[in-house]
Amino acid sequence: GGGNRMQIFSDDMRVKVRERLAAEARLRDALAGDRDVTLPIWFQPIVSAATGEITGAEALVRMRTASGQILAPGHFIPAAEETGLIVPLGEHVLRLAVRHLVEWGDRLGYVSVNVSPRQLAEADFVPMLANLLAANAGLDPSRLVVEITETALLGSSLDVRERLEMIKSLGVRIALDDFGTGYSSLTWLQSVPADVVKLDRSFVAGLAADPRKASIIQAVLWLARSLGMSVVAEGVEDPADWQALRGLECPSAQGYLFGRPQPAEEFWSAFQDGHDT
Ligand code: C2E
Ligand code: CA
Ligand code: CA
Ligand code: CA
């Protein structure tokens, strides 16, 4: 409450505002086609528990600045959400993901793309997706997975369920991201026509040493299976947790244990090496 503290706080805020504005300006440049700032997508493998093989990958956006620095989404997604730039950014990510799916062929089963609630709320989202698929008619749409979080459902006036049904009718699959972190996860499961549940890292980390976590995961796995949904455990870092997940018959997993997000070319060459041997 003293004068000094107030001063520090406001300096801190000024820095934050400046960072936010810089992020926004860079985003605008990149989306306008400025070649100094680019928005590549990186890929993180998703593996099958049964075979240990990579069945798909999640596309995770990065920002490459003029100086060559790589920024994680935490540095620019919040600004993108606030300004609405998430809409063109999200479209850019989808286009890149589809381009890679087509280029790489069907040895890689699928690519999963994050779609923000704001993007989903756009009236143009489904037509844009339909056009993208129509322009890539050789692509099996089920090789594209759209990841949405529970916040898409909360506080939104739009009929999210209806929109998700439209996405599904295009043949695209739907994954519930960060499952278990929201407040109404069971409502979410009941009301959304999802194909995949992505179990949040907070449930997965330390699973092997925590019987309560194991019980919860077991229940979610059972529930998902009964509803005809697949499950991906997120953030698997520890071999003991992975062993426990396999013991519980979790069908697939993602995490540093299997691979970090990598630039597209690196991901693809590592994938091919894995398949040649
Ligand atoms: P997310 O969708 O939950 O993605 C998983 C995040 O966890 C990624 O962070 C990934 O690098 C990280 N991760 C994966 N495995 C592990 C692990 O074993 N341990 C730990 N500690 N972390 C792991 P990243 O790439 O920084 O992305 C952060 C978030 O940014 C994503 O969380 C997603 O919500 C958002 N995001 C990323 N790309 C996009 C995009 O294209 N559009 C939108 N709307 N959001 C995106
Ligand atoms: Ca995700
Ligand atoms: Ca997630
Ligand atoms: Ca997350």
Side-chain angles (χ1 to χ4, degrees):
N4 285 342
R5 263 163 127 194
M6 192 64 188
Q7 189 57 43
I8 290 164
F9 182 55
S10 75
D11 280 350
D12 204 46
M13 281 193 32
R14 212 173 296 135
V15 170
K16 284 225 159 65
V17 168
R18 204 186 304 129
E19 278 172 359
R20 184 58 62 90
L21 288 172
E24 188 188 328
R26 279 179 175 150
L27 254 181
R28 283 191 200 283
D29 288 350
L31 290 168
D34 181 339
R35 280 182 287 123
D36 291 337
V37 188
T38 56
L39 296 161
I41 53 175
W42 286 22
F43 290 86
Q44 184 178 30
I46 299 173
V47 302
S48 153
T51 64
E53 298 212 323
I54 297 172
T55 50
E58 180 171 1
L60 294 157
V61 71
R62 297 290 183 265
M63 181 186 280
R64 191 175 193 282
T65 66
S67 63
Q69 192 189 4
I70 300 291
L71 300 179
H75 293 277
F76 57 93
I77 293 274
E81 294 270 6
E82 270 174 35
T83 55
L85 288 170
I86 192 72
V87 174
L89 172 62
E91 183 175 337
H92 162 84
V93 169
L94 267 168
R95 288 184 187 283
L96 283 180
V98 164
R99 188 192 297 169
H100 281 109
L101 271 171
V102 170
E103 238 174 61
W104 290 342
D106 55 15
R107 281 170 73 197
L108 179 68
Y110 65 94
V111 169
S112 207
V113 175
N114 294 285
V115 170
S116 94
R118 184 144 179 191
Q119 210 186 337
L120 193 66
E122 284 287 301
D124 272 355
F125 182 75
V126 175
M128 181 274 290
L129 193 58
N131 284 334
L132 184 58
L133 294 170
N136 293 277
L139 174 70
D140 173 356
S142 71
R143 295 183 54 221
L144 183 65
V145 181
V146 156
E147 295 193 6
I148 52 170
T149 57
E150 202 173 324
T151 43
L153 201 69
L154 299 170
S156 118
S157 56
L158 133 134
D159 190 344
V160 177
R161 193 197 155 92
E162 196 183 339
R163 190 140 299 174
L164 295 175
E165 292 288 4
M166 289 166 79
I167 294 171
K168 269 184 81 99
S169 72
L170 297 173
V172 172
R173 288 187 291 155
I174 292 167
L176 304 182
D177 202 0
D178 303 342
F179 184 78
T181 57
Y183 294 105
S184 56
S185 296
L186 292 181
T187 313
W188 189 216
L189 266 192
Q190 158 193 279
S191 58
V192 167
D195 303 283
V196 182
V197 168
K198 296 194 76 175
L199 205 54
D200 192 72
R201 183 162 71 92
S202 55
F203 288 100
V204 175
L207 155 72
D210 188 344
R212 298 173 65 110
K213 278 189 175 169
S215 296
I216 290 173
I217 291 189
Q218 192 166 28
V220 174
L221 285 167
W222 177 83
L223 203 55
R225 200 158 33 229
S226 332
L227 293 167
M229 301 174 183
S230 190
V231 174
V232 177
E234 295 194 277
V236 180
E237 295 180 359
D238 179 356
D241 289 342
W242 178 222
Q243 203 185 342
L245 281 164
R246 294 174 68 165
L248 295 173
E249 291 177 51
C250 178
S252 42
Q254 176 182 356
Y256 294 165
L257 182 63
F258 315 105
R260 299 207 169 223
Q262 286 181 297
E265 312 71 47
E266 282 167 38
F267 169 78
W268 187 239
S269 65
F271 177 87
Q272 285 174 309
D273 288 349
H275 277 244
D276 289 343
T277 51

